[in-house]
Amino acid sequence: MPIKKSIVVFCGSLREHSFNGAIARSLAELAPEDMTFTVLDGLESIPHYDADIQASGFPAKVLEIADAIKNAQGVAFVTPEYNYSIPGVLKNAIDWLSRVSPAPFAEKPVVIQTASAGILGGVRAQYHLRQILVFLDAYPMNKPEVMVGSVQSKISADGKLTDEATRDFISNQLAAFSKFIDKMS
Amino acid sequence: MPIKKSIVVFCGSLREHSFNGAIARSLAELAPEDMTFTVLDGLESIPHYDADIQASGFPAKVLEIADAIKNAQGVAFVTPEYNYSIPGVLKNAIDWLSRVSPAPFAEKPVVIQTASAGILGGVRAQYHLRQILVFLDAYPMNKPEVMVGSVQSKISADGKLTDEATRDFISNQLAAFSKFIDKMS
Amino acid sequence: MPIKKSIVVFCGSLREHSFNGAIARSLAELAPEDMTFTVLDGLESIPHYDADIQASGFPAKVLEIADAIKNAQGVAFVTPEYNYSIPGVLKNAIDWLSRVSPAPFAEKPVVIQTASAGILGGVRAQYHLRQILVFLDAYPMNKPEVMVGSVQSKISADGKLTDEATRDFISNQLAAFSKFIDKMS
Amino acid sequence: MPIKKSIVVFCGSLREHSFNGAIARSLAELAPEDMTFTVLDGLESIPHYDADIQASGFPAKVLEIADAIKNAQGVAFVTPEYNYSIPGVLKNAIDWLSRVSPAPFAEKPVVIQTASAGILGGVRAQYHLRQILVFLDAYPMNKPEVMVGSVQSKISADGKLTDEATRDFISNQLAAFSKFIDKMS
């Protein structure tokens, strides 16, 4: 029996009925059977990065996430675009995690989905995130890229990703990601 | 008597003895006489952006900063580079401020200084910030750009920017910024 | 009678029936009456930048364009996105022009339109171009931004921009650009 | 006997005594014994991309380079930064190559060196190139990154890379790249 590929999922949006949260929760049902997904919670509880805080110890949540990444075979980022970049809350989690040793993201395969109400689907955030991932030494898969535009029309009232075309895009991306993880291992 | 040009200063680093904080505090003495500077505090008290929080009201600190920007003639960003981009804490403040109406940054002249311990002086963060400023409709001055490398050797033990070359670079930049504000008004 | 605002237009696509070329030619009829537009030709005749060539003299076409920019009140870039950035031919023209003294682009107001067959309308090219413009010391207007997706359905067989919504977007942008030129003068 | 890893090298500078050219030629002596390097010539002979030219056939040089890449185990880009991005001549070669089928860069491991006379070593060009490589589906190694500042002081009059520290940086990078190629194969 093949070992499951466990994926840690960052969601860049905090609100309860977040569209990106709905996508994050949908990954498991859209992925190949050999993948499992754990959507991180508690990003909002991490204080803004401050080296003085770090000097007296990393927040427990940061260490918990670092461990989760270290034990995972891959990382997914599901995020809206705020101000043509990634949300501050997501960047802050990364800022903390980048200080943990050994580096939790090092050589981890990464997959990205962005979603927005506009037509562009958060595309601008993707390349900022990719530049950040160079420093983290993580490897985002190139293709297929997933940007979900007009996301409000693709999520049901009870928070399910219902748009068939988007479901197919993500299924294809996750199938490719499973192979990418194999390649990068 | 000409009216003073008041500049609101964002500092991207929170630690007490921050090098970027030292630079932020030095701007007033390096600038033309017609400029005044107010370094913002309390960025660490702003919660991570969450539309559910916004629905019950903006944090007071966000509204306070929005007002400060609205009443200022310009904005300065003094920031380290974290993970090849701007710090999460700075991005989070921007994420909140971008939701305030009327848009506080709209058409504001902006000046940028980045500083880092490495040789590159935080340069990668500058173009991420500039892309963000397009959405905010703010106008960062193009030249001269200021990136302070090896910053730890340029700040005294009591937190003063002592490196003469850097002081000159910033003086020249702020003199240009004073004219840029006139042009953009 | 107010002086006309003359705009020099770079088109990033060389093929005869270029969609971007069609947009470039449409600017005049969509703009306020006080603007005139000159679409540059001959970018394909400029050799690839080589400092050894420069040492024996700038190509005549480069000097001609530099003069045209110097005498204009603004610059427009109308371009497809190639490989998530601006076309090489457009970058090459810029590489030559950036060596001419005095700097032709310095402090020039700039307006950008991108167009592509895909849904994203060439958006990725816009921020690469904006980063390039920082070095050139040119000032691209922030808003409104124009990205024309599915451009093949918006241009008629005889090379006219016929899509009404796109025509309105560009008209609004050029009206804003006229005011931006006034502000930056 | 292990099979040699052959690397195709793009140089972004055309002048005869190019510093980047000197670095490109130095790669072979700095690399592990199992790597060979072929520095491409003739980029200046490739016409500016024009779909009408493509319609009557790709330039022979483009097809020759596409073949060289297809048969190589990796690609190196050694380039100056022009106007905060990659040179037009390099972008143009990429614009042509991206149209060749099958895609020559697909899944190729890539290593990047930039060099400039200034202190920043061409760093801004690296992230533009990395964004371009996403579209090409190539995989640039993350670390170590090599930016060579003050390059004019590191190359001898006869065009040799003589700076020991830089030679060490590049040796380490190429040793890592050899392993990266193994991983990505």
Side-chain angles (χ1 to χ4, degrees):
Chain A
M1 200 182 72
I3 294 173
K4 292 271 190 180
K5 292 165 185 160
S6 67
I7 312 298
V8 166
V9 184
F10 284 83
C11 178
S13 173
L14 295 180
R15 72 189 179 93
E16 189 180 352
H17 298 294
S18 161
F19 298 129
N20 281 278
I23 293 174
R25 289 189 307 272
S26 77
L27 298 181
E29 70 192 58
L30 299 173
E33 290 199 352
D34 67 342
M35 303 179 91
T36 64
F37 294 82
T38 306
V39 182
L40 296 172
D41 62 12
L43 299 187
E44 74 283 357
S45 74
I46 303 176
H48 295 296
Y49 179 76
D50 180 333
D52 292 335
I53 298 178
Q54 184 190 337
S56 56
F58 280 93
K61 177 58 75 176
V62 171
L63 297 176
E64 176 194 321
I65 296 176
D67 256 5
I69 297 171
K70 194 174 59 181
N71 294 326
Q73 278 71 53
V75 177
F77 289 95
V78 190
T79 184
E81 173 188 298
Y82 290 169
N83 300 299
Y84 292 1
S85 187
I86 65 170
V89 63
L90 181 54
K91 183 57 168 52
N92 184 61
I94 290 171
D95 290 346
W96 275 104
L97 289 161
S98 69
R99 307 281 181 154
V100 174
S101 178
F105 287 106
E107 303 195 30
K108 289 291 173 188
V110 169
V111 69
I112 303 169
Q113 296 96 21
T114 54
S116 74
I119 200 171
L120 301 179
V123 62
R124 299 174 189 89
Q126 297 220 359
Y127 307 98
H128 275 207
L129 180 54
R130 283 178 179 272
Q131 180 168 314
I132 291 163
L133 291 168
V134 175
F135 183 81
L136 298 175
D137 196 17
Y139 281 95
M141 186 172 67
N142 285 330
K143 299 199 174 183
E145 295 179 289
V146 171
M147 298 91 174
V148 184
S150 307
V151 66
Q152 69 284 3
S153 69
K154 297 171 179 172
I155 308 286
S156 66
D158 61 337
K160 307 288 186 196
L161 175 64
T162 48
D163 184 67
E164 281 304 321
T166 304
R167 291 176 65 89
D168 286 349
F169 287 140
I170 295 178
S171 281
N172 289 337
Q173 186 194 37
L174 294 175
F177 190 52
S178 179
K179 291 178 190 161
F180 185 68
I181 290 173
D182 291 334
K183 177 177 189 145
M184 300 298 288
S185 298
Chain B
M1 201 181 73
I3 293 173
K4 292 273 189 178
K5 291 165 185 161
S6 67
I7 312 299
V8 166
V9 184
F10 284 82
C11 178
S13 173
L14 294 179
R15 73 189 177 92
E16 189 180 352
H17 299 293
S18 160
F19 298 130
N20 281 279
I23 293 173
R25 290 189 307 272
S26 77
L27 298 181
E29 69 192 60
L30 299 173
E33 289 200 354
D34 68 342
M35 302 180 90
T36 65
F37 293 82
T38 305
V39 182
L40 295 171
D41 61 12
L43 298 187
E44 74 283 358
S45 74
I46 302 175
H48 295 296
Y49 178 77
D50 180 333
D52 292 335
I53 298 178
Q54 184 189 338
S56 56
F58 280 94
K61 176 57 77 175
V62 171
L63 296 176
E64 176 195 321
I65 295 175
D67 256 5
I69 296 171
K70 194 174 60 182
N71 294 324
Q73 277 72 53
V75 177
F77 290 95
V78 190
T79 184
E81 173 189 297
Y82 290 169
N83 300 299
Y84 292 1
S85 186
I86 64 170
V89 62
L90 181 54
K91 184 57 167 52
N92 183 62
I94 290 171
D95 290 345
W96 275 104
L97 289 162
S98 69
R99 307 282 181 153
V100 175
S101 179
F105 287 106
E107 303 197 29
K108 290 291 173 187
V110 169
V111 69
I112 303 170
Q113 296 96 23
T114 54
S116 75
I119 200 171
L120 300 180
V123 62
R124 298 175 190 88
Q126 297 220 357
Y127 307 100
H128 275 207
L129 180 53
R130 283 178 179 273
Q131 180 168 316
I132 292 164
L133 292 169
V134 175
F135 182 81
L136 298 175
D137 196 16
Y139 281 96
M141 185 172 67
N142 285 331
K143 300 199 174 183
E145 294 179 290
V146 170
M147 298 93 173
V148 183
S150 305
V151 66
Q152 69 284 4
S153 70
K154 296 171 179 170
I155 307 286
S156 66
D158 61 337
K160 307 288 186 195
L161 175 63
T162 49
D163 184 66
E164 282 303 322
T166 304
R167 292 176 64 90
D168 285 350
F169 287 140
I170 295 178
S171 281
N172 289 337
Q173 187 194 35
L174 294 176
F177 190 51
S178 179
K179 291 177 190 162
F180 185 67
I181 290 173
D182 290 336
K183 178 178 188 145
M184 300 298 288
S185 297
Chain C
M1 201 182 74
I3 295 174
K4 292 272 190 179
K5 291 166 185 161
S6 67
I7 311 299
V8 166
V9 184
F10 284 82
C11 177
S13 173
L14 294 180
R15 73 188 178 93
E16 189 179 353
H17 299 294
S18 161
F19 298 130
N20 281 278
I23 293 174
R25 289 189 307 273
S26 77
L27 298 181
E29 69 192 60
L30 299 173
E33 291 199 352
D34 68 341
M35 302 180 90
T36 65
F37 294 82
T38 306
V39 182
L40 295 171
D41 60 13
L43 298 188
E44 74 284 359
S45 73
I46 302 176
H48 294 297
Y49 178 77
D50 180 332
D52 292 335
I53 298 179
Q54 184 189 340
S56 54
F58 280 93
K61 176 58 76 176
V62 171
L63 296 177
E64 177 194 322
I65 296 175
D67 256 4
I69 297 171
K70 194 173 60 182
N71 293 325
Q73 277 72 55
V75 177
F77 289 95
V78 190
T79 184
E81 173 189 299
Y82 290 169
N83 299 299
Y84 292 1
S85 187
I86 65 169
V89 62
L90 181 54
K91 184 58 168 51
N92 183 62
I94 291 171
D95 290 346
W96 275 105
L97 289 162
S98 70
R99 307 281 181 153
V100 176
S101 179
F105 287 106
E107 303 195 30
K108 289 291 174 189
V110 170
V111 69
I112 303 170
Q113 296 96 23
T114 54
S116 74
I119 199 171
L120 301 179
V123 62
R124 299 174 188 91
Q126 298 221 357
Y127 308 100
H128 275 207
L129 180 54
R130 284 178 177 274
Q131 179 168 314
I132 291 164
L133 291 169
V134 175
F135 182 81
L136 299 175
D137 197 16
Y139 281 94
M141 185 173 67
N142 285 330
K143 299 199 174 183
E145 295 179 288
V146 171
M147 298 92 174
V148 183
S150 307
V151 66
Q152 69 284 3
S153 70
K154 296 172 179 170
I155 308 285
S156 66
D158 60 339
K160 307 288 184 194
L161 176 63
T162 49
D163 184 66
E164 282 303 321
T166 304
R167 292 177 64 90
D168 285 349
F169 288 141
I170 294 179
S171 281
N172 289 336
Q173 186 195 37
L174 294 175
F177 190 51
S178 179
K179 290 178 190 160
F180 185 67
I181 290 173
D182 291 335
K183 178 177 188 148
M184 300 299 288
S185 299
Chain D
M1 200 182 72
I3 293 173
K4 292 272 189 179
K5 291 164 186 162
S6 67
I7 312 299
V8 166
V9 184
F10 284 83
C11 178
S13 172
L14 294 179
R15 73 187 178 94
E16 189 180 352
H17 298 294
S18 160
F19 297 130
N20 280 279
I23 293 173
R25 290 190 306 272
S26 77
L27 298 181
E29 69 192 58
L30 299 173
E33 290 199 353
D34 68 343
M35 302 179 92
T36 65
F37 293 83
T38 305
V39 182
L40 297 171
D41 60 13
L43 299 188
E44 74 283 0
S45 73
I46 303 175
H48 295 296
Y49 179 77
D50 179 333
D52 292 334
I53 298 179
Q54 184 189 337
S56 56
F58 280 94
K61 176 59 76 175
V62 171
L63 296 176
E64 176 195 321
I65 296 176
D67 256 4
I69 297 171
K70 193 175 59 182
N71 294 326
Q73 278 71 53
V75 177
F77 289 95
V78 190
T79 185
E81 172 189 300
Y82 290 170
N83 299 301
Y84 293 1
S85 186
I86 66 169
V89 63
L90 181 54
K91 183 58 169 50
N92 184 61
I94 290 171
D95 290 345
W96 275 104
L97 289 161
S98 69
R99 307 282 180 151
V100 175
S101 177
F105 287 106
E107 302 195 30
K108 289 291 173 187
V110 170
V111 69
I112 303 169
Q113 296 95 21
T114 54
S116 74
I119 200 171
L120 301 179
V123 63
R124 298 174 189 90
Q126 297 222 357
Y127 307 99
H128 275 206
L129 181 54
R130 284 179 179 274
Q131 180 168 316
I132 291 163
L133 291 168
V134 175
F135 182 81
L136 299 175
D137 197 16
Y139 280 95
M141 185 172 68
N142 285 330
K143 300 200 173 183
E145 295 178 289
V146 171
M147 298 93 173
V148 183
S150 306
V151 68
Q152 69 284 4
S153 69
K154 297 172 179 170
I155 307 285
S156 66
D158 61 337
K160 307 287 185 195
L161 175 63
T162 48
D163 184 66
E164 282 303 321
T166 304
R167 291 177 65 90
D168 285 349
F169 287 140
I170 295 177
S171 281
N172 290 337
Q173 187 195 35
L174 294 175
F177 189 52
S178 178
K179 291 178 189 160
F180 185 68
I181 290 172
D182 290 336
K183 178 179 188 142
M184 299 298 288
S185 297

